[in-house]
Amino acid sequence: MNGMKIQAFIYSFVVIFLCSCIREEAPNAEADILTCVVPGDVLQTEPEITNESVTLTVKSDADITNLAPEFTLTPGATISPASGTAFDFTSPRAYMVTSEDGNWTKTYTVRCIVSGVSTEYHFENVTLEPTNGRYQIFYDFTASGDSVTWASGNAGFALTNQNLQVDDFPTMQADDGYVGKCAKLTTRGTGSFGELLGMSMAAGNLFIGTFNLADALPDGRAAVRFGRIFEHVPTYVSGYYKYKAGDSYKINGEEVSGKKDQCDIYAIFFETDDEVEYLDGFNRFSSPNLISVARISNQKETDEWTHFYIPFVARPGKVVDKEKLANGGYRLALAFTSSINGDIYEGAEGSTLWVDEVEIIYSDEE
C-alpha cells in the first residue's frame, strides 16, 4: 500500500505541476475573457464565452446598434477596445486581450444573434481560430441570417503540441461531402502530454454549445456546455454520414482485443430553470431537465454516404410549456463524435466520422 500511495502522490504532483505550467506559460492562460455583462434589458440569456468568441443572444426587439459590453479578464490583463465602449453590433467585432506581462495576446470575436440554433447544417463554412490560426471553427447561419459557431474540443487538443497544423486536429472540414464540403471528425492520439494526464486520445467532436478550455483539466466532460435556445419542439434529426473505425481499440492506453470503435450522433432537447442553464458531458443523458433525446442506434462502418433519420424520444411525463418555449426557456444541442466513448478517452486512433447535410425537423405542437 505504501508503494501505491507514493505512486499516487508522484502522479498527483506531475498533474499539478503540468497544470501550473499551462497556467503560467501557455499563451491562452493569462489573456482570457472570464465574464461579460451588457447593460440594459437586451439579452435573452447569459453570454456564451469560448476560447475565441463571445456570443450575445439578444431579444428580438433589442437595439444592438449601441451596445457597451463590459468584460472581466484574467488578473492584470487588458482589453482593446476598452471594456464598456459602445459599438454597433450589427456586425461582429474583434477584441484583443493582452496578458499582464505583455507576452501573450488572444483575439475574441464578439457577436450578437437573435436565435441560437439553425435547423439546417451544410458544413460549408469554416474560419480559423483567430489568435494563431491553428485550427478550424465551423459556423452556420440561422434563419435570421445570424452567424453561429459550432463548438469542438480543438482548443484543448491544441495544448498537446505547439507545432500542430490544421490537418492534425480532430475536427476539421473535408472536401468530399455528400453535397460540397462536410465535417470530418477523427480520433487522435495526444502524445506524451495526454498520457501523463490519463488522456491518451481525443475524439473528433462537433456540437451545439461551448467548450470552456479552463475547465478541461482533469476531465474534459466538465468543459462542455451543451445547448442553445430553441423555440420549437424537435421531432427528428436527419442527415448523412460515413464511418471508418480505427484498428486498435484502447482503454487507459491498453489495447482491447476484438473490440470495435463506434461513432455517435445525438441531439438533446431540455428545459432550463434557475439551476440548469446548460447540460454538460456528465449529465447530458441523465438530467431530469431532459425533455427528449434523439440518438443513433444502428450506426455502422460504411464507405458510402448513409442516410440517418432519428426520432426524438420523449422522457416519461414531460410536457412542453408553450409560453416558456416562446420565451426561450428550452435549449437544443446536436452532437457528433468519432468515438462513442471518447469523452472518457476510450476508442481507436484513426476512427473517422464524416457528416453532412443535417437537418433538425420540428413541430410547434406538443
Side-chain angles (χ1 to χ4, degrees):
M1 289 295 292
N2 289 336
M4 293 177 63
K5 289 180 179 178
I6 292 171
Q7 287 181 330
F9 173 81
I10 293 173
Y11 179 79
S12 298
F13 177 82
V14 169
V15 171
I16 292 169
F17 177 77
L18 280 173
C19 293
S20 175
C21 289
I22 291 167
R23 284 193 296 269
E24 294 174 3
E25 298 176 6
N28 295 337
E30 298 177 359
D32 298 322
I33 291 177
L34 301 179
T35 68
C36 175
V37 174
V38 181
D41 186 24
V42 297
L43 296 184
Q44 195 172 24
T45 186
E46 67 178 45
E48 292 181 358
I49 302 173
T50 72
N51 193 51
E52 61 278 317
S53 68
V54 179
T55 301
L56 308 174
T57 304
V58 299
K59 297 178 179 179
S60 59
D61 59 352
D63 178 6
I64 63 173
T65 62
N66 191 42
L67 296 184
E70 301 169 357
F71 306 100
T72 59
L73 313 173
T74 44
T78 57
I79 190 169
S80 180
S83 176
T85 305
F87 291 108
D88 181 350
F89 278 89
T90 52
S91 297
R93 297 199 67 91
Y95 286 77
M96 180 175 289
V97 181
T98 303
S99 61
E100 183 176 19
D101 61 10
N103 290 333
W104 311 112
T105 62
K106 183 190 291 187
T107 302
Y108 283 86
T109 301
V110 181
R111 60 171 57 82
C112 288
I113 63 173
V114 175
S115 177
V117 177
S118 175
T119 57
E120 294 184 6
Y121 309 99
H122 307 290
F123 308 107
E124 299 292 330
N125 305 303
V126 295
T127 186
L128 291 177
E129 172 267 323
T131 300
N132 298 308
R134 299 179 66 200
Y135 56 84
Q136 295 176 334
I137 300 170
F138 282 88
Y139 66 94
D140 273 293
F141 295 95
T142 67
S144 58
D146 295 323
S147 172
V148 180
T149 59
W150 287 81
S152 77
N154 276 350
F157 190 77
L159 296 177
T160 66
N161 188 329
Q162 293 299 309
N163 297 316
L164 293 169
Q165 303 298 311
V166 169
D167 290 350
D168 298 325
F169 280 83
T171 300
M172 57 177 290
Q173 189 181 63
D175 292 329
D176 53 344
Y178 181 76
V179 177
K181 300 180 185 298
C182 66
K184 179 183 178 182
L185 316 177
T186 304
T187 301
R188 308 281 194 186
T190 56
S192 57
F193 176 91
E195 290 177 0
L196 279 171
L197 298 177
M199 304 174 178
S200 61
M201 63 184 63
N205 58 43
L206 194 66
F207 61 94
I208 292 174
T210 60
F211 181 85
N212 187 352
L213 182 60
D215 295 330
L217 293 174
D219 195 321
R221 289 174 292 182
V224 176
R225 283 184 162 189
F226 284 110
R228 287 200 175 106
I229 291 172
F230 195 63
E231 298 174 349
H232 310 281
V233 179
T235 54
Y236 292 90
V237 178
S238 174
Y240 293 86
Y241 82 100
K242 296 191 297 183
Y243 185 65
K244 176 63 176 176
D247 294 331
S248 176
Y249 192 97
K250 294 182 179 180
I251 298 176
N252 297 325
E254 299 294 328
E255 184 174 351
V256 180
S257 178
K259 188 172 179 62
K260 292 286 287 185
D261 208 354
Q262 287 184 299
C263 64
D264 204 4
I265 298 170
Y266 60 88
I268 51 179
F269 181 58
F270 60 96
E271 182 179 11
T272 62
D273 55 34
D274 292 339
E275 301 295 326
V276 177
E277 189 76 16
Y278 301 92
L279 299 184
D280 59 30
F282 295 103
N283 67 0
R284 68 196 188 281
F285 296 127
S286 60
S287 171
N289 287 60
L290 283 171
I291 301 298
S292 59
V293 176
R295 192 176 191 184
I296 195 169
S297 60
N298 59 343
Q299 64 268 54
K300 59 185 179 181
E301 285 192 275
T302 171
D303 295 327
E304 303 293 330
W305 283 105
T306 302
H307 185 246
F308 60 85
Y309 192 74
I310 312 168
F312 278 82
V313 178
R315 294 298 169 97
K318 293 295 185 177
V319 177
V320 175
D321 182 324
K322 289 186 176 181
E323 182 177 355
K324 186 173 183 178
L325 182 70
N327 291 325
Y330 293 85
R331 289 178 179 261
L332 177 76
L334 177 62
F336 314 96
T337 181
S338 55
S339 292
I340 193 169
N341 293 322
D343 59 335
I344 54 175
Y345 313 109
E346 295 180 9
E349 290 184 34
S351 292
T352 304
L353 171 65
W354 294 262
V355 182
D356 203 7
E357 300 304 302
V358 176
E359 182 180 4
I360 300 290
I361 300 166
Y362 65 87
S363 169
D364 288 322
E365 300 296 325
E366 293 184 24

